[in-house]
Amino acid sequence: MDCDIAIIGAGIAGLSAACAVSGVKDYSSILIEGRGVGSNNPSPLTFADIIDEFDLVDCCRETYDSFVFHNWKGSSIAHRLGREALIVLDYKKACAKLAERAVKRGTSTVLMERFVTGISEGENLVTIRLDDDTHIRSRILIDASGSSQVIASRSKKDGVSYYSHVYGGSFANVGPIPYKLCCFLLPNPSFGTGGGWFYSLGQGRASFGYATISSDPGPDFGALRENFERARSTFEPYSKYLANAHLEYSESGVIPISHAKRFVRHNVIVVGDAAGMATNWTCMGIEPSLRYGRLAGEMAVLALSRNDPPVLNTFQSLWEEANKDSFDRAAKNLAGFWSSDHYFWEWIIKNDLAFLTPAQLLDRLRWNRHLLKKHQILYRALRHRTRLVFHRGAHRAHHFVVTE
Ligand SMILES: Cc1cc2nc3c(=O)[nH]c(=O)nc-3n(C[C@H](O)[C@H](O)[C@H](O)COP(=O)(O)OP(=O)(O)OC[C@H]3O[C@@H](n4cnc5c(N)ncnc54)[C@H](O)[C@@H]3O)c2cc1C
C-alpha cells in the first residue's frame, strides 16, 4: 500500500493532523490506530477557547468559571475567572467527532485499525509494518502515537526525560458539592508528587485522581493505585464527596513531559505526547496536541506540494518560537519542583498564587507566565519569615478567594 501521508495514532493529536490533511484531495492519507479512536480516555481539563476554535464545544463534559489550588490539610486559593474559561473534555467523543470529520470530508483519508510493529526510514519513503505483516509506504509520516512514542523510543535519549504517571477515575453517585469545583490538589508524597485533581462533572459525577512524576517511562500501577486510594479516603472534603460514589471507569496512563529535542527528522514529524509536548509545569497535553497536530498536517501538505521535505523543519521552529523558553525554564527545576513538601506549597499559595489576578493565573497555567522575579522571591520570603515570627496566625491555613 502506498500513500502520501501516514499518521500513527487516532488520539487528539493524530486526528487533528488528519483533519488538516483530509480536506486536501490531491494527497492520500492513512490514519493507523491500534486500540480504537480516542483509546487513551482521560477527563482532561483544558481551555474553553481552544475547544471553541476546533469546534468541539458539544464535547464538553463540564465548564468552570473558577479554579482552585488546595494543599492537603493546608491552604487553598480560588481564582474566580469571571467567565467559563476552563472545561473538561469528553475525550472519546471529541476524538470520534474529529475522526468523522477527517474521514468524511474528503475521500483522501482512510482509517486503518491496525497496530504498527515496525518502521524503516528511507530517503524518499518511510515503510511502516503492521501487525498483519502488511506494509505501508508513505512519503511523509506523522507519529502521533502518544506515550508509546513509536519513533522517539527508537533513538537514544540525551538527558533525563520526565513522565507523569496518572491514576484516577470517573465516579458516579458523588455527594452534593456546593458549586462546580475545578480543583488542582497540590503534590504530596503520600498521594503523588505530580499533584491531583477533582473536577465535578454534574449529575452526581466527578473525576478524581493523583499523579506521580518519574524519570521512568513505565508506571507502577499498584503503587499509584495505593496512593490514589489513600488520597480518596483522607483528602477532605473530596473524600466526603466520594464516600458513597462508585467508580464508573478508571483514568490512568502516562504523560511524557520532556519535549523531544527534534520533532522533525527528514520526512517524519513527531507530535503530541509522542513528542512530549504536554506542558511540564501542569502536564496539560490537549491544547498542544490539537494545535500542533493541525500544524503537522498543514506542514506535511506544504512539503508535498513543494516537493521539499526540508519545509517540515518550519514545524520545529514554530514550536520553539512559541514554547521553548517556557518549557526549558520549567525543566531547569523540574525534579525539585515536583518533589517539594507541604511547606513549599503553603509558601506558593500565600506568596505567589495569592498575588496573581485570575487572568494572570490562566496565563500561568497555559504559558508559565508571570513568574516571580528573584527580588520578589527575596522580599516575599523575608516578609513571610517575619510574619511567622511575629503573627500567631501566620502558620495557619488560609483560604483565599481572588476576583478580577
Ligand atoms: C489520566 C490522564 C489525565 C490527563 N489529564 C489531562 C488534563 O487534565 N489536561 C490536559 O491537557 N491533558 C491531560 N492529559 C494528557 C492528555 O490526555 C494527552 O496529552 C493527550 O491526550 C495526548 O494526545 P495524543 O493524541 O498525543 O496521544 P493519545 O491520545 O495517547 O493517542 C495516541 C494513539 O496512538 C495509538 N497508538 C500507539 N501506538 C500505536 C501503534 N504502535 N500502532 C497503532 N496505534 C498506536 C494509541 O492507541 C492511541 O490511540 C491526561 C492524560 C491522562 C492519561
Side-chain angles (χ1 to χ4, degrees), residues 75-103:
S75 300
S76 69
I77 182 162
H79 282 84
R80 304 268 185 249
L81 307 171
R83 65 194 161 91
E84 306 216 304
L86 294 167
I87 69 109
V88 163
L89 191 66
D90 182 332
Y91 193 74
K92 266 223 159 111
K93 189 172 174 189
C95 287
K97 188 172 179 189
L98 291 174
E100 196 184 298
R101 216 181 278 168
V103 179

Side-chain angles (χ1 to χ4, degrees), residues 169-177 185 197-200 204-209 228-229 231-235 237-247:
S170 202
F171 291 85
N173 199 32
V174 175
I177 302 170
L185 311 173
W197 72 91
F198 186 96
Y199 308 141
S200 56
R205 290 193 159 74
S207 173
F208 170 76
F228 159 80
E229 291 297 353
R232 186 188 165 181
S233 56
T234 53
F235 200 148
Y238 318 101
S239 50
K240 286 203 178 111
Y241 300 149
L242 296 172
N244 298 313
H246 64 263
L247 186 70

Side-chain angles (χ1 to χ4, degrees), residues 118-289:
I119 289 173
S120 52
E121 295 165 58
E123 181 63 22
N124 300 313
L125 288 172
V126 183
T127 305
I128 301 148
R129 193 173 66 241
L130 304 182
D131 53 0
D132 62 355
D133 250 353
T134 52
H135 292 74
I136 296 173
R137 288 184 308 169
S138 180
R139 291 166 69 194
I140 290 181
L141 170 66
I142 299 177
D143 174 14
S145 59
S147 58
S148 306
Q149 301 196 308
V150 168
I151 291 286
S153 61
R154 288 150 47 94
S155 49
K156 213 174 116 279
K157 296 216 170 0
D158 23 335
V160 186
S161 295
Y162 288 98
Y163 304 85
S164 173
H165 297 169
V166 195
Y167 195 97
S170 202
F171 291 85
N173 199 32
V174 175
I177 302 170
Y179 64 100
K180 284 200 279 183
L181 252 186
C182 176
C183 200
F184 179 69
L185 311 173
L186 286 159
N188 179 305
S190 313
F191 306 152
T193 52
W197 72 91
F198 186 96
Y199 308 141
S200 56
L201 296 172
Q203 297 174 323
R205 290 193 159 74
S207 173
F208 170 76
Y210 249 93
T212 291
I213 304 295
S214 170
S215 55
D216 189 339
D220 174 350
F221 280 114
L224 289 174
R225 193 190 162 134
E226 275 176 26
N227 288 353
F228 159 80
E229 291 297 353
R230 207 172 292 124
R232 186 188 165 181
S233 56
T234 53
F235 200 148
E236 290 182 10
Y238 318 101
S239 50
K240 286 203 178 111
Y241 300 149
L242 296 172
N244 298 313
H246 64 263
L247 186 70
E248 284 194 303
Y249 57 89
S250 65
E251 299 174 20
S252 58
V254 176
I255 316 173
I257 53 165
S258 300
H259 68 82
K261 298 280 170 301
R262 295 221 50 85
F263 301 129
V264 178
R265 212 161 63 188
H266 192 53
N267 42 10
V268 177
I269 307 186
V270 190
V271 71
D273 277 5
M277 284 184 171
T279 55
N280 51 8
W281 57 95
T282 45
C283 308
M284 293 173 94
I286 296 298
E287 177 169 22
S289 294

Side-chain angles (χ1 to χ4, degrees), residues 160 162 193 213-215 257 280 330-341 345:
V160 186
Y162 288 98
T193 52
I213 304 295
S214 170
S215 55
I257 53 165
N280 51 8
K332 264 191 219 154
N333 306 314
L334 214 59
F337 179 75
W338 287 118
S339 55
S340 299
D341 63 9
W345 297 115

Side-chain angles (χ1 to χ4, degrees), residues 9 11-13 33-35 39-40 45 91 116 145 148 273 284-286:
I12 205 123
E33 170 54 56
R35 296 189 193 95
S39 64
N40 162 28
L45 182 77
Y91 193 74
V116 172
S145 59
S148 306
D273 277 5
M284 293 173 94
I286 296 298

